[in-house]
Amino acid sequence: MTSKHAPTSETHVPAWHPVWVALLGSLWLASVGNYALWQQVHQLPEVTGLRGLAFALGFGVIITSALTAVLSFLNWRGWLKPVLTVFFLSAASGAYFMVSYGIVIDSTMITNVVQTDTKEALDLLNWRMLISLLVLGILPCWVLWKTRLQVLRLRQQIWSNTLTAVVSIVVIVAALLAIFQDFSSIMRNHTQLRYLVNPLNSYYAIGMVAAKPFQRDNKTLLPIGKDAQMATPKPNEKPPLLLLVLGETARMGNFGVNGYERQTTPALAQENIISLKGVMSCGTSTATSVPCMFSHLGKEDFEARKNNYESLIDVLHHAGLAVLWIDNQSGCKGVCERVPQALTKELKHPTLCKDGECFDEIMLHQLDERIQALPAERRAKGVVVVMHQMGSHGPAYYKRVPDAFKKFQPECKSNALQECTREQVVNSFDNTILYTDHFLGQAIQWLKKSEATAASAMLYVSDHGESLGENNLYLHGLPYRVAPDVQKRVPWITWWSPQFEKQLGLSRTCLQNKVQMPLTHDNYFHSVLGLVNVSTEVYQAKLDVHADCRSRS
């Protein structure tokens, strides 16, 4: 008979004080979990010699102490292991994306994650990510859950947590004072570092996103452009047919018509287009740029807004135009909710659609029938069709292009871009531009066929650009102030039919003289209104690229 006092196998395993577990967990996160941060710090010209080593050690102590302080507020009976599990897994995920693609994590990136659909999320999965999650996340979680913790009484727990928080804050202050001169200078000159402190960057960003409903009234949508009216047509004038192509992730510099060394735009080169080269985006992600470029506020006021407003699409609708939004992407981000929409995800086509994703040409399929379904009285005034491309959406660029347009070889056939050479990545991306060129060429041909009944035009503008491995950066989404120009400089391409040009009295030479003019997405809202001759109190002629290039107002 076994004595009730006989030791069990469990009692042979020492029990750890929760504070030591929290501290060791913080050390793991601050060191291994912050590999992306230390990689960046190592590359800074200021961090050299003994002084640089002192800065790195001091910075590491600050991060470790900050994590320990945070955990001290969450270190209650039964909570520590689940909390640390979340920390380990989120840090592992963040570390993978920051190291692999050179991204940082801020509120914009969190918004992108929330708005990413299943197809986009699956494009990011690969064996490198699984290994990263296993080593940086699951392994420490396994060790954590195998570790026995001492059970403290409530009074002991309160005292322990309070003492841990106080000591952590004291250590943070002491370390900060020791390296303050270098710390203040480096953090001021290299602001991207603050977005690399893992996983605190993710939690701060989540908090910023969660706080937005308290900073902005998202329940109320304020109307704009209720006074919108189209100019009275002259005798024998045809109603306008304006095609707005909303590009995705297209770099201005990779377009052959913009002087790129490769001929990625043979179709556009055959058309009488004008390509503006000095245009900067409103943001570095679709979730930011699309609502911003369709807003009347402009970048600064849009970011600081206290209320949400109707969009350019609503103003066009108020003016009486027939408006149709066709989406081959992850949605219109709220700007098209009050007009007819067509989503290509629901379509089946033997050559243009595969595995729940369609090539951009699908948006031209049955387009005439879609337009005919719009109200006749609106069509009589004019039609505006918006096509939101899949375009050059990464990282799986190779999926966006039919085989016939994979001209540049060898291409990267992986969604882990770091597995490919830069040549392969650029080839894959350039193939997407070549296909976008084909799509735009087909769209122009469709517009030409409509000239018998409409004055047609096309305006193509991308939402943001892309990094293709420059300085080990991939994709997009960096905070705007630290993002490279390739993520912000976008193509703006215009095509007019002779009838459209004549009716508005447009001067091609005038617009051609603006090819290098500094412009932004702020000009988009007003330039579109000007192209369809819509007058409204929210229209600003000074932001309309075409205002001084047309004789008819």
Side-chain angles (χ1 to χ4, degrees), residues 104-270:
V104 300
I105 298 177
D106 64 346
S107 56
T108 300
M109 190 60 67
I110 294 298
T111 301
N112 293 337
V113 171
V114 172
Q115 296 187 6
T116 296
D117 61 22
T118 304
K119 288 291 295 182
E120 291 177 343
L122 290 176
D123 279 347
L124 295 169
L125 297 179
N126 56 70
W127 65 270
R128 286 175 176 266
M129 181 179 181
L130 295 177
I131 291 177
S132 178
L133 289 175
L134 177 64
V135 174
L136 299 181
I138 296 175
L139 178 60
C141 286
W142 179 80
V143 173
L144 172 67
W145 285 93
K146 294 288 288 185
T147 302
R148 288 183 60 227
L149 297 181
Q150 293 180 13
V151 178
L152 305 181
R153 296 173 182 172
L154 180 60
R155 184 176 297 179
Q156 291 176 311
Q157 190 75 68
I158 294 174
W159 168 249
S160 175
N161 289 2
T162 303
L163 182 61
T164 302
V166 171
V167 171
S168 298
I169 293 171
V170 170
V171 172
I172 290 172
V173 173
L176 188 58
L177 290 174
I179 63 169
F180 183 76
Q181 185 176 354
D182 290 329
F183 184 85
S184 60
S185 174
I186 289 174
M187 297 305 285
R188 181 175 61 252
N189 295 327
H190 305 280
T191 54
Q192 73 274 16
L193 294 182
R194 69 187 66 177
Y195 302 108
L196 292 171
V197 180
N198 193 26
L200 296 180
N201 52 356
S202 298
Y203 303 144
Y204 177 79
I206 291 171
M208 293 295 291
V209 172
K212 282 188 177 179
F214 301 98
Q215 302 168 353
R216 183 183 308 138
D217 182 7
N218 288 324
K219 295 181 180 179
T220 304
L221 184 70
L222 300 181
I224 61 168
K226 286 287 190 179
D227 62 330
Q229 291 183 343
M230 295 188 64
T232 303
K234 295 179 180 178
N236 301 321
E237 279 192 346
K238 299 174 182 177
L241 170 58
L242 178 61
L243 175 60
L244 302 176
V245 180
L246 177 55
E248 170 64 34
T249 322
R251 288 165 48 130
M252 184 281 296
N254 287 60
F255 278 63
V257 292
N258 290 334
Y260 188 42
E261 59 189 15
R262 286 175 161 176
Q263 181 49 287
T264 54
T265 53
L268 288 174
Q270 299 299 315

Side-chain angles (χ1 to χ4, degrees), residues 264-291:
T264 54
T265 53
L268 288 174
Q270 299 299 315
E271 301 295 344
N272 198 11
I273 57 104
I274 298 176
S275 182
L276 305 181
K277 304 177 185 179
V279 184
M280 302 295 281
S281 67
C282 185
T284 61
S285 69
T286 303
T288 300
S289 283
V290 172

Side-chain angles (χ1 to χ4, degrees), residues 348-367:
K348 305 290 183 183
H349 192 280
T351 58
L352 295 178
C353 298
K354 181 181 179 182
D355 298 328
E357 182 176 312
C358 299
F359 295 122
D360 284 330
E361 284 177 273
I362 194 66
M363 293 188 286
L364 295 167
H365 187 62
Q366 297 181 336
L367 180 54

Side-chain angles (χ1 to χ4, degrees), residues 82-114:
V83 167
L84 270 174
T85 297
V86 173
F87 273 47
F88 289 148
L89 294 177
S90 57
S93 177
Y96 167 75
F97 286 107
M98 288 189 290
V99 171
S100 298
Y101 300 112
I103 67 168
V104 300
I105 298 177
D106 64 346
S107 56
T108 300
M109 190 60 67
I110 294 298
T111 301
N112 293 337
V113 171
V114 172

